[in-house]
Amino acid sequence: MIKEAMILAAGFGERLHPLTKDCPKPLLEIGEETLLSNTLRFLKEGGINKVVINVHYLGEKIIDYLKNNKFDLNINIVQEKEKILDTGGGILNAIQHFSNEAFLVINPDTIWSSHYLEDVKLMQRVFFENKKKCLLLVTNKEKSFDRTFKGDFNLKENLIDRKKKENLNYIYTGLQIIEPKVFSNINEKVFSINKIWDQLIASNELYGIESNTDFLHVSTLDIYKGLLKKI
């Protein structure tokens, strides 16, 4: 079972202005929790005991929040001080804090409920039994609360593809299992995780598991307001 995870928390949250001008997106409240506390609770319930969190924009507020709240997890903070490193660069920059084993990477933008725990168990079983390099949790865009998503991928027999850019029916939920070795040939410091995914797609090595849980994701100010009414 995977025991380590990384939370990507360095983004600017620009589509949620004016809320995120003074509050980093992971600290926005949803129900009785913040997006970050909800994610940490979910990871704890899923058997994770070590978490790495990267921060940049309003990073000190996230650091203070973690100092003032107890989550019963071993949490390490990685600050991207000079510039934001994007999703792939952020993971690569923090990879030294992990063992040489596969780990989870998760976005706090999604509202992670206990319904996803079975998905995580299935992901781990598929990942290790079939010796995958990277496995994404995806969902059909019809399951999304935000109906503007055009789709990220197609999925056939757990193989992810997007070589054809039209009619993409699946959305990335914000959760993946990844092997550190997939970063071994990357020399850049700032890059999107899409660079890794595209390399794996080209060699038919990017896989996905479909979740049937309703996809609640804080994407824009209007969606956030709508989710506050729903939850």
Side-chain angles (χ1 to χ4, degrees), residues 67-123:
K67 285 179 179 178
N68 294 326
N69 293 273
K70 296 186 182 299
F71 294 103
D72 194 25
L73 288 162
N74 178 6
I75 299 175
N76 292 324
I77 305 296
V78 177
Q79 291 183 271
E80 299 174 11
K81 291 184 178 181
E82 294 182 6
K83 59 184 176 181
I84 194 167
L85 301 177
D86 209 337
T87 49
I91 298 170
L92 179 58
N93 184 56
I95 215 163
Q96 61 187 306
H97 295 278
F98 294 100
S99 62
N100 201 32
E101 304 293 330
F103 57 95
L104 291 178
V105 179
I106 190 168
N107 298 343
D109 311 43
T110 298
I111 301 173
W112 299 104
S113 70
S114 58
H115 298 293
Y116 283 107
L117 293 174
E118 289 303 315
D119 293 329
V120 175
K121 290 179 183 178
L122 176 59
M123 288 178 71

Side-chain angles (χ1 to χ4, degrees), residues 130-147:
N130 298 280
K131 298 180 180 179
K132 306 299 186 189
K133 294 180 180 178
C134 186
L135 182 69
L136 313 185
L137 185 65
V138 299
T139 189
N140 192 290
K141 61 186 179 184
E142 297 299 320
K143 301 290 290 185
S144 176
F145 180 79
D146 184 346
R147 306 299 289 181

Side-chain angles (χ1 to χ4, degrees), residues 178 182-183 186 191-200:
I178 197 163
V182 302
F183 294 92
I186 302 293
F191 63 96
S192 168
I193 192 63
N194 282 287
K195 182 180 181 70
I196 299 292
W197 292 346
D198 286 339
Q199 290 178 349
L200 293 171

Side-chain angles (χ1 to χ4, degrees), residues 9 24 28 56 63 67 79 95 97 109 130 136 146 148 152 183 189 205 211 216 224 228-229:
L28 291 179
H56 175 72
I63 292 170
K67 285 179 179 178
Q79 291 183 271
I95 215 163
H97 295 278
D109 311 43
N130 298 280
L136 313 185
D146 184 346
T148 66
D152 302 309
F183 294 92
K189 289 186 177 181
E205 294 181 287
S211 173
L216 309 180
Y224 176 63
L228 291 178
K229 295 176 182 178

